[in-house]
Amino acid sequence: MKPADATKTALLVIDVQNGLLHPTHWGPSRSTPDCEENIALLLSAVREHNKKQGGGPESSSNSVAICHVHHHSIYPNSPLRPGDQIEINGQILDAVQPMSVARPEPGEKIFVKNVNSSFIGTELEAYLRGQGVRQLIIVGLTTDQCVSTTTRMASNLRVVSITSPNGDLDEGDIILAGDACATFAKGGYDAETVHGVNLASLNEEFAQVERTQDVLRVVFGHSHV
């Protein structure tokens, strides 16, 4: 990890949408109770950092790009199908809209997908390359599906890599904030097991799996979280 002041950085927030709050569709239990709180902490840190740079996510070379990815399912039984609503704690919410902790602010990019990868059918790859991003921080839902697929593709596409004129590859950094991701129990395995195994598969092969507090400390200089 590198300080955002010294390395062009982007925060990628994947599928933090109301439809993922469905009480039964995704699985009997969910991992990572602090996931949403950690996502909120990272978004707050990025926005605070950008204000110090003089504006929004594209205001200067040291500002951090904020990218929200929203899933719009093409399947009629999905809680993430556009037009559907979901009842949570007595409130009727639009299923594809972002959760309150991850509502985009003006100037933050939104990419809409209908498959697991945030790079398929979107302009995300072109945007990250165009911004010169060398460090990508990934958070969101769900660890084993859209987060994993996107992380693997970010690595395989080398979206934060550059090649020198003599052919040397500088791969940049892909950071997966493991405690700012979550998934559900499935296949007879509890949610924390599914979450942990998938993080272990990604770590040091496709990304560096880090804790939110460490990302806040190293990348954004927060000594106390």
Side-chain angles (χ1 to χ4, degrees):
M1 290 188 290
K2 300 179 179 68
D5 285 336
T7 304
K8 185 61 180 180
T9 299
L11 175 66
L12 182 60
V13 183
I14 301 173
D15 296 357
V16 187
Q17 296 163 260
N18 292 328
L20 271 298
L21 297 171
H22 193 287
T24 59
H25 179 86
W26 307 103
S29 62
R30 202 200 79 171
S31 72
T32 334
D34 294 335
C35 173
E36 286 85 354
E37 179 182 352
N38 288 328
I39 290 170
L41 286 170
L42 286 164
L43 274 168
S44 177
V46 172
R47 289 163 179 163
E48 178 185 330
H49 170 87
N50 287 344
K51 286 179 181 178
K52 292 177 180 177
Q53 303 303 314
E58 298 180 8
S59 61
S60 77
S61 60
N62 288 332
S63 62
V64 175
I66 301 176
C67 303
H68 301 264
V69 177
H70 294 162
H71 193 91
H72 287 193
S73 179
I74 62 173
Y75 299 108
N77 65 338
S78 172
L80 288 172
R81 186 173 173 84
D84 284 0
Q85 295 184 315
I86 184 171
E87 182 176 350
I88 301 295
N89 297 325
Q91 286 187 302
I92 303 298
L93 305 172
D94 289 331
V96 297
Q97 289 302 304
M99 297 181 197
S100 59
V101 298
R103 288 182 183 136
E105 293 190 355
E108 298 175 2
K109 301 291 288 186
I110 301 172
F111 300 90
V112 176
K113 65 179 178 63
N114 59 27
V115 293
N116 297 104
S117 174
S118 300
F119 294 101
I120 300 295
T122 74
E123 297 298 320
L124 177 60
E125 180 184 357
Y127 177 75
L128 295 175
R129 294 191 190 279
Q131 291 292 307
V133 172
R134 302 300 324 287
Q135 179 168 250
L136 180 63
I137 302 168
I138 300 174
V139 303
L141 303 168
T142 59
T143 316
D144 57 322
Q145 295 186 6
C146 296
V147 170
S148 177
T149 305
T150 297
T151 302
R152 291 167 186 267
M153 281 200 69
S155 175
N156 287 170
L157 290 168
R158 296 196 169 109
V159 293
V160 296
S161 301
I162 58 172
T163 303
S164 70
N166 63 5
D168 292 334
L169 180 67
D170 180 347
E171 292 190 309
D173 293 284
I174 298 172
I175 310 299
L176 181 58
D179 56 359
C181 304
T183 193
F184 298 86
K186 61 191 61 171
Y189 297 97
D190 66 87
E192 292 294 349
T193 297
V194 177
H195 176 71
V197 168
N198 277 273
L199 291 181
S201 295
L202 294 168
N203 190 36
E204 298 183 359
E205 180 67 25
F206 301 97
Q208 305 164 45
V209 176
E210 304 285 357
R211 299 184 310 150
T212 294
Q213 289 191 5
D214 292 331
V215 176
L216 292 170
R217 176 176 53 83
V218 175
V219 179
F220 300 106
H222 286 211
S223 57
H224 301 287
V225 183

